[in-house]
Amino acid sequence: MGIIPTSDKFPVLVVLNPHSGRKQGLEAWENTVKPALNAANKPFRLIESNSQGHVISYFVDNIKPILTDLAQSLSTVAAGAASAQDTIMNPTSAKLQIIVLGGDGTVHEIVNGILKGVEGTGFVTDAFRPQVEFAVIPTGTGNAISTSLGVTSVQDAVNRFIAGKTVPLRIMSVTSLTTQLYTIVVNSYGLHCATVYDSEEFRHLGNDRFRQAAMKNVENLKQYEGKLSFYGRTQQYNRATTSLVDSSSSNDNIARTDTNTATLTLPGPFTYLLISKQASLEPGFTPTPFAKTSDDWMDVLAVQNVGQAEIMQMFGSTAIGTHVNQEHVEYIKAKTIELETPTQGRLCIDGEFLTIEAGPEGRVRFEVSSDLNIQIFRIFA
């Protein structure tokens, strides 16, 4: 016997964060998203976030029964049927669709809640590996994922969901001796991390809170000690050819595959450091223009030990991505990276903050995991 996916009859999970961004999520839900789901005859289940951390807790506690219900919604048919055979060959044809009315932080919480909820349980296997498909409605502050995919409005996001085309949403793992997290947008150290941290006091300004916090930190510019090490294959932006160049030769198999020997090191100190999966972090701010949501690379933007003039020059060119041609900017694509700091520091992870302990014991490793049971997410594009 085989199974035919009937997950089109399974309710869409709608995660509403009414406090995100300028608090437009509820209006977008009532006026645009809910009517579209009703018109398309798509059943839904509304999950409303009532506090910080509520979404991640919800999915940690409920993802196993949700997946159980999804599996039970699949119909058994004779093994000889063509559709059943297709399902046997492709166990990922079972789909859990989630509409997010909120920011990138809400998506971050859902991803981590799902993966923590199924960790070590055997719910996701070769025999049953559902795809989790996100439709992100841009009602957050930065809306990095939506902006990077070219989503221009709430209606545009809804239209893409109804059209049904998805691309992989690759996630990054962030690992230290004490921490295991997954990120979908950006990890940062130095000026960017300090900006996000200080932006909380300007939250009432919406997107402008980041600009205000950035100017505050530029006026009191600091350098942040640390070493960034790259493992395996990398690509570096070459300003002379205005292209990305593979940094390992075709015969250097060790450089391409070894994850224990660093093939490239940036010694710092860092003024500005980003490790991202998204090209844009908000409209008009494209710090990693070659980043792709759906590939297996992390894009690194590093500025080492510069002053206010160089940082302001970089900021002035990030709207269209031409800052990569500036002499003080390093742009690297990698799959495995480690950050080590000589003193205790702070790392920003999709808007959350992680304390980095000093020395090798506090080393943080960033990877785009190749584990198929982790890379189960897609996004409507």
Side-chain angles (χ1 to χ4, degrees):
M1 302 293 285
I3 55 175
I4 293 179
T6 57
S7 47
D8 59 324
K9 298 180 178 62
F10 193 78
V12 177
L13 302 185
V14 179
V15 179
L16 169 62
N17 183 350
H19 309 291
S20 184
R22 293 184 182 272
K23 303 181 180 180
Q24 298 173 330
L26 183 58
E27 179 184 353
W29 165 244
E30 293 291 350
N31 295 341
T32 307
V33 181
K34 183 178 178 180
L37 292 177
N38 287 334
N41 293 317
K42 288 186 175 289
F44 59 83
R45 182 191 307 170
L46 182 63
I47 304 160
E48 187 169 346
S49 173
N50 53 34
S51 62
Q52 186 174 5
H54 173 258
V55 171
I56 189 169
S57 296
Y58 177 88
F59 279 94
V60 168
D61 295 339
N62 291 284
I63 189 58
K64 288 186 286 188
I66 287 171
L67 291 182
T68 299
D69 290 346
L70 176 62
Q72 290 176 348
S73 76
L74 303 176
S75 301
T76 359
V77 296
S83 53
Q85 185 64 33
D86 289 343
T87 303
I88 293 169
M89 298 300 293
N90 181 18
T92 62
S93 54
K95 299 174 182 179
L96 175 63
Q97 296 182 333
I98 303 176
I99 294 178
V100 181
L101 291 111
D104 303 307
T106 307
V107 183
H108 170 89
E109 288 199 9
I110 297 171
V111 166
N112 279 274
I114 288 174
L115 292 178
K116 288 181 185 298
V118 300
E119 186 177 26
T121 64
F123 267 72
V124 179
T125 65
D126 287 346
F128 179 68
R129 186 181 297 121
Q131 292 179 359
V132 179
E133 298 182 335
F134 283 108
V136 182
I137 311 300
T139 56
T141 301
N143 301 311
I145 301 173
S146 297
T147 303
S148 296
L149 291 172
V151 176
T152 58
S153 66
V154 169
Q155 187 62 60
D156 185 18
V158 171
N159 292 345
R160 295 183 189 215
F161 172 72
I162 298 300
K165 177 187 175 183
T166 64
V167 297
L169 176 66
R170 296 294 184 219
I171 62 171
M172 300 173 280
S173 66
V174 181
T175 309
S176 69
L177 284 177
T178 59
T179 303
Q180 171 71 71
L181 287 172
Y182 299 98
T183 67
I184 52 170
V185 178
V186 65
N187 309 290
S188 69
Y189 180 66
L191 175 58
H192 183 271
C193 179
T195 294
V196 177
Y197 186 82
D198 289 341
S199 70
E200 286 302 308
E201 65 181 285
F202 305 111
R203 180 169 279 275
H204 62 284
L205 298 176
N207 259 15
D208 285 341
R209 68 188 175 111
F210 295 115
R211 194 182 317 278
Q212 194 76 16
M215 294 310 300
K216 171 185 173 181
N217 280 278
V218 170
E219 288 174 5
N220 303 283
L221 193 63
K222 298 177 182 178
Q223 308 302 328
Y224 299 80
E225 297 291 337
K227 180 178 71 173
L228 203 64
S229 301
F230 299 83
Y231 298 86
R233 183 183 171 197
T234 61
Q235 295 179 351
Q236 290 183 268
Y237 182 76
N238 186 304
R239 287 185 288 274
T241 62
T242 64
S243 63
L244 290 161
V245 178
D246 197 320
S247 60
S248 58
S249 70
S250 58
N251 295 321
D252 192 354
N253 292 324
I254 294 177
R256 287 175 174 270
T257 60
D258 187 12
T259 58
N260 296 309
T261 303
T263 53
L264 176 67
T265 301
L266 297 182
F270 295 98
T271 315
Y272 198 90
L273 176 61
L274 292 179
I275 302 172
S276 185
K277 278 297 299 159
Q278 309 301 327
S280 296
L281 298 187
E282 61 180 277
F285 182 47
T286 308
T288 44
F290 306 115
K292 293 183 179 178
T293 302
S294 59
D295 70 14
D296 293 328
W297 294 94
M298 296 175 290
D299 284 42
V300 178
L301 175 68
V303 182
Q304 300 179 84
N305 201 27
V306 302
Q308 292 178 341
E310 290 86 355
I311 283 296
M312 292 307 296
Q313 182 187 17
M314 185 194 77
F315 283 153
S317 304
T318 53
I320 54 176
T322 56
H323 59 291
V324 298
N325 294 309
Q326 295 170 5
E327 185 177 357
H328 51 272
V329 173
E330 294 278 357
Y331 194 105
I332 301 166
K333 295 177 80 75
K335 298 188 178 184
T336 304
I337 307 166
E338 286 187 351
L339 174 65
E340 182 180 325
T341 60
T343 58
Q344 189 180 82
R346 180 185 294 131
L347 185 69
C348 179
I349 301 174
D350 282 357
E352 297 182 6
F353 300 98
L354 174 69
T355 298
I356 306 172
E357 298 302 329
E361 294 78 12
R363 189 179 298 138
V364 182
R365 192 174 183 96
F366 308 87
E367 294 181 283
V368 178
S369 174
S370 59
D371 188 341
L372 295 178
N373 294 337
I374 291 175
Q375 298 291 5
I376 60 174
F377 303 97
R378 298 182 69 86
I379 190 162
F380 290 89

